[in-house]
Amino acid sequence: MGEDVSVRTFSREDRARYRDKVRRCLDVFAEMLRESRFDVDRPMTGVEIELNLVDEASNPAMRNADVLAAISDSSFQTELGQFNIEINVPPRRLTGTGTADFEEYVRASLNAAEVKARAIGAHMVMIGILPTLRPEHLTAETLSANPRYKLLNEQIFAARGEDLSIALSGVERLAVTADTITPEAACTSTQFHLQVSPAQFADYWNAAQAVAGIQVAVGANSPLFFGRELWRETRIPLFQQATDTRSEEIKAQGVRPRVWFGERWITNVFDLFEENVRYFPALLPVCDPEDPMQALAAGEVPKLAELRLHNGTVYRWNRPVYDVSRGRPHLRVENRVLPAGPTVLDTIANGAFYFGLVRALAESDRPLWSQMSFSAAEENFTSCARHGIDAQVFWPGLGYLPVTELVLRRLLPLAHHGLDRWGLDPAERDRLLGIIEQRCLTSRNGATWQVETLHRFESADHLDRPEALREVVRHYVDLMHSNRPVHEWPIP
């Protein structure tokens, strides 16, 4: 939810006006789809990476305003917590050395930003959940200064009518309550964007949903929260609970959560936007002066501001995006399932695996989703978040099998083919998919490294949990800067 909004209160009239405006936007969007008004000529890809800030003691540094001022680069933006920032990488095509160009840009940008952050006593960390976070770091006082976060916090709790209850049961258990949405700030992710045509959108979205669990298993990097070892990708259930607008009674009625995997395969991109409008009340009913129907009739490209704002407050793991660039509208799938890190190289390898795999599946003669129930994909997603690279998953024609076996036997060859279809340089393809292959062969990803390292410090060095967690972060940051893929990281 990146739109800037000012602090205000909303009346019943505001909400009624906004509902009407969103529905008019939806009608205009449908008309644009019928008239094929979208940019489909040169599909682009993009990436966003959310980052944590730490101090010299590896604890969260509430300095994002100071750090952003020091960096002074529009690619870097504020995020929910004062210990978060985000880098938005300019979009590129995947042809040729597109992935290497992504990697070079991200590394250069992060290294330059780290130098400036270090000068004011902060360091940047790419990790799904910062292990040294404690409850006192996630309060109303640690929300970023941007007014939209305060307003979003107020609206979520107004909808709930009570405090958040966060209950996570993994290797260890955690049960806490929160009176703000700041636990969401603990969840730092990587988002991959893929521009697709309206005609292809359903196939790409369905493919992304089908492989979401596998992405999480291979890329898990969030096993620790509030000093507890929980799920291998704890960010998934934590994000679901930290933004839940439903009370227990509303949950019992079957009302859908705003962090949502979905419930069915789709046949058209319109299905997703229409579901968002039909199922979810507005959190931020801010109306734009544009009349989208008049804009369309005048031959202009409508902003559809209300539809975009509403869409940004429904947190699908694969989100449909309508946007306008250089005066032309386009559609994107925003893939939101992966954590940040561990390294830039690991991040780009995750992206290559995803981009190649969804293209191969989307262009398959017999769609995977015609052979697999949607509930099976959701079950895979939950299992992979809980167990990470050790998960068992279901796959059509193979039944239940270890996720590493599925990737090695079936999915890496598909990703190989998909990257060829994108026109990626073969050496780049092999370099990046080789990293995914080695993770599966070694059963080592960010989550397993963090947990094994924590246990090592506790058992061999007899450190207490808080000190062991600080040592985990200290070693993690050093290895992150090496840009060695995580499967090669040694246990200290």
Side-chain angles (χ1 to χ4, degrees):
M1 200 285 294
E3 302 290 335
D4 281 323
V5 294
S6 58
V7 173
R8 56 179 294 184
T9 57
F10 298 112
S11 66
R12 286 173 290 182
E13 290 78 13
D14 288 332
R15 294 185 179 279
R17 190 182 309 113
Y18 185 83
R19 180 182 289 115
D20 176 67
K21 191 77 180 290
V22 167
R23 288 175 176 170
R24 280 193 287 150
C25 285
L26 197 61
D27 290 341
V28 169
F29 181 59
E31 183 64 25
M32 293 175 72
L33 290 172
R34 283 192 292 271
E35 295 178 0
S36 302
R37 292 186 175 225
F38 291 85
D39 183 4
V40 297
D41 297 336
R42 290 167 56 87
M44 306 291 279
T45 57
V47 61
E48 302 170 70
I49 304 170
E50 296 166 355
L51 305 156
N52 286 276
L53 300 174
V54 299
D55 59 21
E56 298 294 343
S58 299
N59 292 316
M62 307 298 169
R63 302 286 304 278
N64 67 354
D66 297 333
V67 168
L68 288 171
I71 294 172
S72 189
D73 180 343
S74 60
S75 296
F76 290 85
Q77 302 289 330
T78 188
E79 265 294 330
L80 179 63
Q82 291 180 30
F83 59 94
N84 303 141
I85 61 173
E86 177 180 76
I87 179 173
N88 296 293
V89 182
R92 283 173 167 74
R93 300 190 73 199
L94 281 181
T95 53
T97 59
T99 51
D101 296 340
F102 267 130
E103 183 183 356
E104 181 181 354
Y105 178 91
V106 175
R107 286 203 73 194
S109 297
L110 292 181
N111 287 341
E114 170 66 17
V115 169
K116 294 176 180 178
R118 188 185 306 147
I120 61 170
H123 302 275
M124 297 185 299
V125 188
M126 287 193 303
I127 195 167
I129 295 176
L130 187 63
T132 50
L133 278 172
R134 298 189 302 273
E136 59 266 31
H137 297 133
L138 299 177
T139 67
E141 289 70 35
T142 57
L143 279 173
S144 289
N146 191 308
R148 74 171 182 258
Y149 299 126
K150 182 174 186 290
L151 189 57
L152 188 63
N153 181 67
E154 291 171 354
Q155 294 303 305
I156 285 178
F157 277 88
R160 279 187 63 82
E162 62 189 43
D163 286 352
L164 282 167
S165 176
I166 294 173
L168 300 168
S169 180
V171 177
E172 298 170 346
R173 293 175 180 268
L174 176 71
V176 295
T177 58
D179 58 4
T180 72
I181 61 169
T182 44
E184 179 193 336
C187 307
T188 40
S189 65
T190 298
Q191 291 127 37
F192 293 117
H193 290 257
L194 180 57
Q195 182 183 342
V196 293
S197 70
Q200 295 176 305
F201 192 95
D203 289 339
Y204 274 91
W205 187 85
N206 288 341
Q209 290 288 104
V211 302
I214 284 75
Q215 284 183 271
V216 170
V218 174
N221 195 31
S222 313
L224 305 166
F225 178 58
F226 281 0
R228 306 289 174 84
E229 181 184 345
L230 299 164
W231 291 24
R232 287 303 183 252
E233 190 50 38
T234 303
R235 186 182 56 89
I236 299 292
L238 177 58
F239 188 69
Q240 289 170 336
Q241 294 182 31
T243 55
D244 201 341
T245 57
R246 306 168 301 161
S247 65
E248 291 300 320
E249 294 81 5
I250 295 298
K251 289 181 192 177
Q253 294 174 31
V255 172
R256 295 163 180 85
R258 293 191 91 95
V259 177
W260 197 33
F261 189 79
E263 60 193 18
R264 64 188 175 103
W265 306 118
I266 65 166
T267 57
N268 190 293
V269 62
F270 185 81
D271 296 349
L272 299 175
F273 285 96
E274 191 272 336
E275 283 181 348
N276 287 356
V277 172
R278 179 155 46 102
Y279 293 148
F280 299 101
L283 279 181
L284 301 172
V286 179
C287 285
D288 186 86
E290 178 192 71
D291 183 321
M293 292 181 176
Q294 286 184 4
L296 188 67
E300 300 170 2
V301 177
K303 293 186 295 184
L304 306 184
E306 293 79 11
L307 187 65
R308 289 163 66 185
L309 179 59
H310 185 65
N311 190 57
T313 62
V314 179
Y315 304 97
R316 293 178 182 269
W317 293 110
N318 284 293
R319 176 189 275 164
V321 176
Y322 167 88
D323 206 351
V324 180
S325 177
R326 298 177 182 175
R328 298 189 68 184
H330 68 262
L331 298 173
R332 303 195 303 269
V333 178
E334 180 188 8
N335 178 256
R336 303 161 47 82
V337 307
L338 284 170
T343 64
V344 174
L345 179 54
D346 284 302
T347 300
I348 302 304
N350 288 340
F353 181 55
Y354 166 71
F355 290 131
L357 190 51
V358 294
R359 176 141 190 183
L361 291 173
E363 295 181 349
S364 173
D365 291 336
R366 187 183 177 198
L368 178 69
W369 40 99
S370 70
Q371 311 164 57
M372 180 181 186
S373 71
F374 194 87
S375 61
E378 184 172 17
E379 185 179 297
N380 283 350
F381 184 67
T382 302
S383 176
C384 290
R386 182 182 289 276
H387 301 292
I389 208 160
D390 295 322
Q392 297 271 327
V393 294
F394 172 82
W395 204 255
L398 299 175
Y400 285 92
L401 73 168
V403 68
T404 50
E405 183 180 340
L406 172 65
V407 172
L408 293 168
R409 281 176 54 187
R410 185 68 59 88
L411 301 188
L412 277 173
L414 284 173
H416 184 289
H417 172 69
L419 291 176
D420 285 346
R421 294 282 296 134
W422 284 116
L424 188 67
D425 180 81
E428 266 298 283
R429 175 201 66 205
D430 294 345
R431 177 178 77 103
L432 296 172
L433 293 185
I435 290 169
I436 304 300
E437 179 184 40
Q438 287 302 312
R439 272 193 228 155
C440 292
L441 290 172
T442 60
S443 294
R444 169 69 58 81
N445 59 15
T448 59
W449 183 90
Q450 287 186 55
V451 168
E452 289 176 27
T453 300
L454 175 67
H455 294 169
R456 155 71 175 77
F457 285 132
E458 289 184 322
S459 61
D461 292 359
H462 307 294
L463 299 182
D464 62 16
R465 180 62 61 92
E467 184 58 33
L469 291 169
R470 283 190 288 272
E471 284 298 304
V472 168
V473 173
R474 188 172 67 81
H475 282 77
Y476 182 102
V477 170
D478 288 344
L479 289 163
M480 178 192 77
H481 284 298
S482 76
N483 206 36
R484 288 172 62 188
V486 71
H487 69 266
E488 296 181 2
W489 288 12
I491 304 300

